[in-house]
Amino acid sequence: MAGFLKDFRDFAVKGNVVDMAIGIIIGAAFTSIVNSLVRDVFTPILGLVTGGLNFTDLFVTLRDGATAGPYATLADAQAAGAVTINFGLFLNATISFLLVALVCFMLIRNITKLQRMTQKEEAAAAPTTKECPYCLSSVPLKATRCSACTSQLEAAQPAS
C-alpha cells in the first residue's frame, strides 16, 4: 500500500506531458460518470453519515437577495438573487477531481507496468547470432571467424 501511495504522489506531483494528456482525455471521457458517482453515490452516503447534510446545499450567504433569508436551499438563495459562497458545490467538484485523478493514475500505472514487461521481452529477444557475409551461415555474435567458411569477420562492437 505504501508503494501505491508513493507512486500516486510521484504521479500527482511530477507528471509529464503524456500523463497530462491522458488525464485530460480520461477526465473528459469520464466526467458524467464521475459526476454521477459523486452526486448519486458519495453525496448521499456522506449526507447519511453527517445526519442528512446535503453538500449541494452547503453555502454561506454574503448578501440577501430580493427576499430576505435564511434560505433553505441554494436554489432558493439563487432564485432570490442572494450572493453566496457555494462551498458544498466546491466539495463535490473536489471529490470529482480526486476520483478522475485516481482513475488516471491507475490507468497510467498499469500502462507503465505493461511497457516494462514489453521492454524486458524485447531485451530477452536480443540477437545472439549474426550472418556471415561470405557464406551466409549463422555464427555466434562474438565470433571473429566463420565456422563454416573460416572467413575473417569483423569483431563485435560493444553495446553503447
Side-chain angles (χ1 to χ4, degrees):
M1 185 68 176
F4 178 84
L5 292 175
K6 181 186 178 304
D7 288 347
F8 181 70
R9 185 196 63 202
D10 290 345
F11 165 79
V13 173
K14 293 180 185 175
N16 62 32
V17 175
V18 174
D19 295 340
M20 292 300 292
I22 289 174
I24 291 167
I25 291 167
I26 296 297
F30 287 131
T31 297
S32 64
I33 293 171
V34 171
N35 286 341
S36 176
L37 182 64
V38 171
R39 181 180 58 248
D40 302 329
V41 177
F42 290 128
T43 301
I45 292 171
L46 290 172
L48 184 64
V49 169
T50 59
L53 184 63
N54 182 355
F55 280 4
T56 304
D57 288 327
L58 291 178
F59 64 96
V60 174
T61 304
L62 298 177
R63 185 181 52 147
D64 286 336
T67 57
Y71 306 104
T73 65
L74 179 59
D76 293 343
Q78 289 175 336
V83 177
T84 59
I85 295 177
N86 308 322
F87 64 91
L89 295 176
F90 175 75
L91 288 173
N92 283 344
T94 302
I95 291 169
S96 295
F97 169 77
L98 292 174
L99 289 173
V100 169
L102 183 62
V103 168
C104 290
F105 164 71
M106 291 171 55
L107 177 69
I108 290 174
R109 188 171 191 229
N110 288 325
I111 288 172
T112 302
K113 284 181 181 180
L114 288 174
Q115 287 174 339
R116 287 182 191 149
M117 287 176 25
T118 304
Q119 288 171 351
K120 286 180 184 177
E121 290 171 2
E122 289 173 357
T128 57
T129 61
K130 61 183 175 181
E131 195 173 81
C132 173
Y134 304 104
C135 70
L136 305 179
S137 298
S138 180
V139 294
L141 197 58
K142 294 182 179 180
T144 55
R145 281 204 183 269
C146 176
S147 59
C149 69
T150 67
S151 298
Q152 187 74 30
L153 304 174
E154 291 182 21
Q157 299 296 322
S160 50

